[in-house]
């Protein structure tokens, strides 16, 4: 273990909201307290090793970036067919699951491979949780994290899900230890764990997702296209039931991770500390000078004029130039506490879309392993 990682581990019990020092080329503030050591790994201009996490390509705004040809066919309707298990048996098994321990086991895996991407599996787990949930359609009441249908082709092969096999395979190790947990619950719990362990807010979570059959896979095209404009983003997120402020709050998860050309066609992180959850994404998009950069495949993205390794997707700058979206970008750039509060609420909402809760489920507020 190098001296920096050792020092960070020793300081892990400091208040996670403490701002310590400038940790980026352009003065991005980084927080050490309450964040796993790998979460403080410095931004590197070198190409990520082992193919990377697909960035956070999380919001899908960079899932967004996963393909330039997404479409949504509202005439397609797929009813979720859940696996049939006797209710009494299911209840007994769920009671036996120690979800805090599941959380802890996932947390211990986040930085087990220092050569992976920027040193953390956290961003790709957030992306897995997002892509498993963001397929929900409020009108047909199909899709969402209930079912975990990304386990099957064709959904696993959708362009937006490129690279997520890494996250799914990682979670198989956890599922082997806790076979009673549904994949939908496991994947969303992993997303919550990653957000919290990398310095983000506490996200309430509850179990209740049921795994479905391959016949319940959602059609391709339900995730956003990074090459399109603000009206397209609204169409996609309104379909899920989000409003403008909620959409912008979700986009803030792009503080984590990076895009990879072999997956999305785009390349680079959104800011210089891609394994620290903060409001730095909003500061970056609202304060830097963005210029167009042509990519090898003929596409293009925005890059910071003063640090061309940092990028923004075409859809994101289009959103920032939209009057209604912009006011929330600016709000969160100025107020991290407000961003954290709103993100925790909307991320929980995203993860619960389409889940048939009975209403009596226990709500978990997981304790961080750094506390």
């Amino acid at each position: 273990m190098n001296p920096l990682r050792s020092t960070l581990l020793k300081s892990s019990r400091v208040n996670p909201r403490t701002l310590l020092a400038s940790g980026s080329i352009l003065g991005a503030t980084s927080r050490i307290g309450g964040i796993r050591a790998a979460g403080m790994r410095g931004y590197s201009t070198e190409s990520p090793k082992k193919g990377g996490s697909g960035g956070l390509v999380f919001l899908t705004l960079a899932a967004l970036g996963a393909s330039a040809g997404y479409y949504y066919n509202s005439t397609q309707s797929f009813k979720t067919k859940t696996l049939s298990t006797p209710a009494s048996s299911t209840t007994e098994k769920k009671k036996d699951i120690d979800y805090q321990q599941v959380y802890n086991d996932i947390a211990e895996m986040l930085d087990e491979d220092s050569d992976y991407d920027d040193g953390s599996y956290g961003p790709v787990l957030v992306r897995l949780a997002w892509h498993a949930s963001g397929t929900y359609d409020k009108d047909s009441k199909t899709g969402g994290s209930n079912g975990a249908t990304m386990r099957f082709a064709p959904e696993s092969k959708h362009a937006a899900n490129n690279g997520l096999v890494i996250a799914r395979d990682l979670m198989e190790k956890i599922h082997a230890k806790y076979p009673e947990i549904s994949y939908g619950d496991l994947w969303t719990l992993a997303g919550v764990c990653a957000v919290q362990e990398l310095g983000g807010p506490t996200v309430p979570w509850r179990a209740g997702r049921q795994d479905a059959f391959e016949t319940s896979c959602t059609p391709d095209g339900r995730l956003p296209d990074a090459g399109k404009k603000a009206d397209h983003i609204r169409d996609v997120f309104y379909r899920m039931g989000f409003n403008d402020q909620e959409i912008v709050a979700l986009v803030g998860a792009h503080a984590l991770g990076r895009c990879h050309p072999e997956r999305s066609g785009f390349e680079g992180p959104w800011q210089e500390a891609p394994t620290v959850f903060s409001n730095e994404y909003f500061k970056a998009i609202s304060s830097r000078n963005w210029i167009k950069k042509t990519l090898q495949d003929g596409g293009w993205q925005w890059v910071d004029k003063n640090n061309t390794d940092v990028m923004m997707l075409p859809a994101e700058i289009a959103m920032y130039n939209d009057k209604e979206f912009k006011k929330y970008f600016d709000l969160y750039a100025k107020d991290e506490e407000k961003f954290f509060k709103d993100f925790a609420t909307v991320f929980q909402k995203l993860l619960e879309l389409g889940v048939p809760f009975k209403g009596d489920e226990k709500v978990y507020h997981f304790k961080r392993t750094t506390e």
Side-chain angles (χ1 to χ4, degrees):
M1 179 178 294
N2 65 43
L4 174 59
R5 288 173 64 82
S6 177
T7 299
L8 292 172
L9 282 172
K10 292 178 181 178
S11 63
S12 64
R13 294 184 181 277
V14 180
N15 189 324
R17 304 294 296 167
T18 302
L19 298 176
L20 294 182
S22 174
S24 77
I25 297 174
L26 298 180
T29 54
S30 297
R31 288 172 286 110
I32 291 181
I35 305 174
R36 297 182 64 79
M40 291 302 298
R41 177 166 171 159
Y43 161 74
S44 172
T45 58
E46 297 179 358
S47 299
K49 299 179 181 179
K50 297 191 177 181
S53 68
L56 178 51
V57 189
F58 152 88
L59 161 87
T60 224
L61 261 169
L64 268 172
S67 173
Y70 289 151
Y71 64 93
Y72 171 61
N73 185 344
S74 60
T75 64
Q76 291 181 278
S77 179
F78 293 76
K79 296 300 181 182
T80 300
K81 301 176 182 178
T82 54
L83 298 176
S84 58
T85 305
S88 59
S89 174
T90 300
T91 301
E92 290 172 3
K93 288 182 178 180
K94 295 300 181 184
K95 287 182 178 179
D96 291 337
I97 300 174
D98 184 342
Y99 290 108
Q100 180 66 59
Q101 188 56 53
V102 176
Y103 174 103
N104 294 347
D105 288 353
I106 295 171
E108 290 307 310
M109 299 176 72
L110 295 182
D111 57 353
E112 68 179 12
D113 186 350
S114 61
D115 288 334
Y116 180 79
D117 232 11
D118 295 291
S120 174
Y121 284 117
V124 76
L125 292 180
V126 176
R127 182 177 169 227
L128 175 64
W130 156 248
H131 284 219
S133 306
T135 57
Y136 184 68
D137 173 28
K138 62 181 175 60
D139 294 325
S140 65
K141 301 189 186 316
T142 59
S145 62
N146 190 53
T149 48
M150 200 198 302
R151 306 188 325 278
F152 309 110
E155 193 169 331
S156 64
K157 296 184 181 299
H158 289 172
N161 295 328
N162 286 343
L164 284 177
V165 63
I166 295 172
R168 296 195 302 271
D169 285 352
L170 192 67
M171 289 300 94
E172 284 296 338
K173 300 176 184 178
I174 301 294
H175 196 268
K177 184 174 180 180
Y178 304 96
E180 300 86 2
I181 191 172
S182 71
Y183 281 97
D185 281 346
L186 178 60
W187 292 353
T188 54
L189 195 163
V192 168
C193 174
V195 167
Q196 294 189 183
E197 293 293 309
L198 296 185
T202 297
V203 179
W205 180 90
R206 50 183 173 161
R209 296 158 189 82
Q210 304 171 44
D211 292 332
F213 295 109
E214 183 176 356
T215 52
S216 295
C217 284
T218 57
D220 200 357
R222 288 195 175 185
L223 298 176
D225 182 338
K228 293 190 176 181
K229 298 183 179 180
D231 57 350
H232 165 75
I233 303 304
R234 283 196 174 92
D235 287 343
V236 171
F237 284 91
Y238 284 5
R239 186 205 75 225
M240 291 181 243
F242 293 114
N243 61 36
D244 286 357
Q245 183 166 9
E246 291 173 321
I247 294 169
V248 176
L250 280 175
V251 180
H254 274 167
L256 297 178
R258 62 170 63 234
C259 286
H260 300 78
E262 71 276 13
R263 297 179 186 175
S264 67
F266 302 100
E267 182 174 14
W270 288 267
Q271 51 97 17
E272 289 88 350
T275 56
V276 178
F277 195 97
S278 69
N279 70 334
E280 191 59 38
Y281 166 82
F282 295 110
K283 292 181 180 180
I285 198 171
S286 62
S287 65
R288 303 192 190 191
N289 187 2
W290 299 100
I291 59 176
K292 286 186 177 181
K293 176 183 177 180
T294 301
L295 303 171
Q296 291 185 351
D297 64 359
W300 64 275
Q301 66 187 36
W302 297 98
V303 294
D304 178 5
K305 183 177 181 180
N306 295 314
N307 179 10
T308 56
D309 291 311
V310 172
M311 65 97 220
M312 287 285 164
L313 300 164
E316 293 173 301
I317 298 299
M319 288 179 67
Y320 186 67
N321 290 332
D322 178 274
K323 181 179 179 181
E324 291 303 312
F325 278 140
K326 184 179 185 298
K327 61 185 180 183
Y328 300 119
F329 279 92
D330 292 340
L331 169 64
Y332 294 142
K334 297 176 182 177
D335 192 339
E336 185 180 73
E337 184 176 354
K338 173 64 173 172
F339 165 52
F340 273 32
K341 178 180 178 181
D342 289 353
F343 180 83
T345 299
V346 73
F347 194 53
Q348 179 188 14
K349 177 180 176 178
L350 170 69
L351 301 184
E352 295 189 349
L353 293 176
V355 182
F357 291 120
K358 298 177 181 178
D360 59 352
E361 294 82 7
K362 178 179 178 179
V363 178
Y364 290 86
H365 296 83
F366 294 113
K367 182 178 180 180
R368 294 167 177 77
T369 61
T370 54
E371 294 177 347

